[in-house]
Amino acid sequence: MNSQPKKLAEATQYCPTTAHRKILEEGLLVVDVREYDEVKQLAFDVPEIIHIPLSEFDTRYAELPRDREMVLVCSAGHRSLKACYFLMFHGYDKVANMEYGMDRWIVRGFPVRGEKLSTPSDEQASACGCTTLASTADSCCAPSPAANNTCCSPTPSASKGCC
Amino acid sequence: MMEIKVLGTGCTNCKATVALIEQIAQTKGVTVHVQKVEELREIMGYGVMSTPGVVIDGKVVHAGGIPHREKIEQWLSN
């Protein structure tokens, strides 16, 4: 292992809404680092996805292309952040982490395959006024071409932010 | 003085690793400065996927699980 630590930049973070938009509009490649049993139960339903469990990541990361924009995903955004930094350590510069993971992806009503989890608590579901499983077109997190790249337009009642 | 860094985000194993290193160092009469590195970005700067990790004088000597006592004793003997 390297003796001298690398000073890594802050990882790029996408909220699920931004990630979803980039997946559909820009062909962002999704890399799922959840374990096999998690993926078997519930999977991201996206055009292109590669599954490398975190437990195998250090031996299999070279399978990932260096010239594609990628977003790392997991259940809550923590393991994927670790994997994202690992790729950055190994020179990948087109990687980002999806904050909040599958947990928030489901709340936003983005597509999944497999058994769906039970609906989250009311507090969690209404953090930005969105109802659970609302369509992306109707949610407050509808894609916005805002210049500051925020995923959601501010709403009067959004005290905690949308995503 | 030996500079030792223990990489980990604050889990039980990370704390146990720090305690074990300090205990063995004291027993052997070796002066060490043990620093905990808990910030993920800084940890990943060492390329360590499995924590706790141990860095001695800038070199990663261990990654994943609590290191065995014998291993620590060997580090402190060098």
Side-chain angles (χ1 to χ4, degrees), chain B residues 4-8 11-24 34 48 50-56 60-76:
Chain B
I4 300 177
K5 293 184 181 180
V6 175
L7 315 178
C11 65
T12 308
N13 281 355
C14 301
K15 293 174 187 171
T17 298
V18 171
L20 192 57
I21 291 172
E22 288 177 336
Q23 180 208 17
I24 294 173
V34 182
V48 170
S50 301
T51 53
V54 179
V55 179
I56 297 181
V60 177
V61 297
H62 173 84
I66 303 172
H68 292 303
R69 177 175 287 269
E70 295 75 25
K71 206 171 180 181
I72 298 173
E73 287 175 350
Q74 190 179 12
W75 297 336
L76 299 180

Side-chain angles (χ1 to χ4, degrees), chain A residues 1 3 5-6 8 82 86 89, chain B residues 41 44-47 49 58 60:
Chain A
M1 293 182 197
S3 300
K6 287 186 182 177
L8 301 177
K82 190 177 204 178
F86 185 80
F89 176 83
Chain B
R41 182 162 62 116
M44 298 312 296
Y46 289 93
M49 273 295 260
V60 177

Side-chain angles (χ1 to χ4, degrees), chain B residues 20-53:
Chain B
L20 192 57
I21 291 172
E22 288 177 336
Q23 180 208 17
I24 294 173
Q26 189 174 29
T27 304
K28 293 177 73 71
V30 177
T31 306
V32 298
H33 175 241
V34 182
Q35 179 190 348
K36 280 187 288 185
V37 179
E38 296 180 317
E39 204 254 319
L40 180 62
R41 182 162 62 116
E42 194 177 346
I43 292 171
M44 298 312 296
Y46 289 93
V48 170
M49 273 295 260
S50 301
T51 53

Side-chain angles (χ1 to χ4, degrees), chain A residues 84-132:
Chain A
C84 185
Y85 276 128
F86 185 80
L87 290 178
M88 291 167 66
F89 176 83
H90 285 281
Y92 285 76
D93 57 6
K94 296 183 185 338
V95 293
N97 177 53
M98 188 175 84
E99 289 184 291
Y100 317 120
M102 172 65 89
D103 292 349
R104 190 66 63 88
W105 181 272
I106 294 173
V107 169
R108 292 291 171 258
F110 295 138
V112 293
R113 287 179 287 110
E115 176 189 335
K116 285 206 175 172
L117 299 174
S118 57
T119 55
S121 64
D122 286 344
E123 181 183 344
Q124 193 176 4
S126 61
C128 65
C130 294
T131 55
T132 308

Side-chain angles (χ1 to χ4, degrees), chain A residues 23 26 37 46-47 53 57 59-60 80 84 106 150-151 156 160:
Chain A
I23 288 165
E26 300 173 21
D37 56 343
V46 294
F57 207 80
T59 54
R60 293 182 54 191
S80 54
C84 185
I106 294 173
T150 56
C151 73
K160 293 182 185 178

Side-chain angles (χ1 to χ4, degrees), chain A residues 2-163:
Chain A
N2 282 3
S3 300
Q4 298 302 322
K6 287 186 182 177
K7 224 172 169 62
L8 301 177
E10 287 278 357
T12 300
Q13 303 260 29
Y14 297 147
C15 71
T17 300
T18 298
H20 184 249
R21 185 178 71 235
K22 285 179 172 287
I23 288 165
L24 296 183
E25 296 178 5
E26 300 173 21
L28 193 65
L29 176 63
V30 178
V31 180
D32 190 347
V33 302
R34 295 177 302 146
E35 298 303 313
Y36 292 109
D37 56 343
E38 296 176 89
V39 175
K40 193 176 176 183
Q41 185 181 30
L42 196 65
F44 292 88
D45 191 5
V46 294
E48 261 192 293
I49 186 165
I50 294 176
H51 176 226
I52 301 180
L54 194 70
S55 56
E56 299 176 13
F57 207 80
D58 57 348
T59 54
R60 293 182 54 191
Y61 74 92
E63 296 176 22
L64 298 171
R66 288 182 180 268
D67 58 350
R68 286 281 304 273
E69 295 283 347
M70 295 186 285
V71 62
L72 285 296
V73 301
C74 68
S75 58
H78 303 304
R79 287 176 286 170
S80 54
L81 182 60
K82 190 177 204 178
C84 185
Y85 276 128
F86 185 80
L87 290 178
M88 291 167 66
F89 176 83
H90 285 281
Y92 285 76
D93 57 6
K94 296 183 185 338
V95 293
N97 177 53
M98 188 175 84
E99 289 184 291
Y100 317 120
M102 172 65 89
D103 292 349
R104 190 66 63 88
W105 181 272
I106 294 173
V107 169
R108 292 291 171 258
F110 295 138
V112 293
R113 287 179 287 110
E115 176 189 335
K116 285 206 175 172
L117 299 174
S118 57
T119 55
S121 64
D122 286 344
E123 181 183 344
Q124 193 176 4
S126 61
C128 65
C130 294
T131 55
T132 308
L133 305 181
S135 71
T136 55
D138 296 335
S139 76
C140 76
C141 295
S144 165
N148 59 356
N149 275 336
T150 56
C151 73
C152 308
S153 301
T155 63
S157 60
S159 58
K160 293 182 185 178
C162 189
C163 292

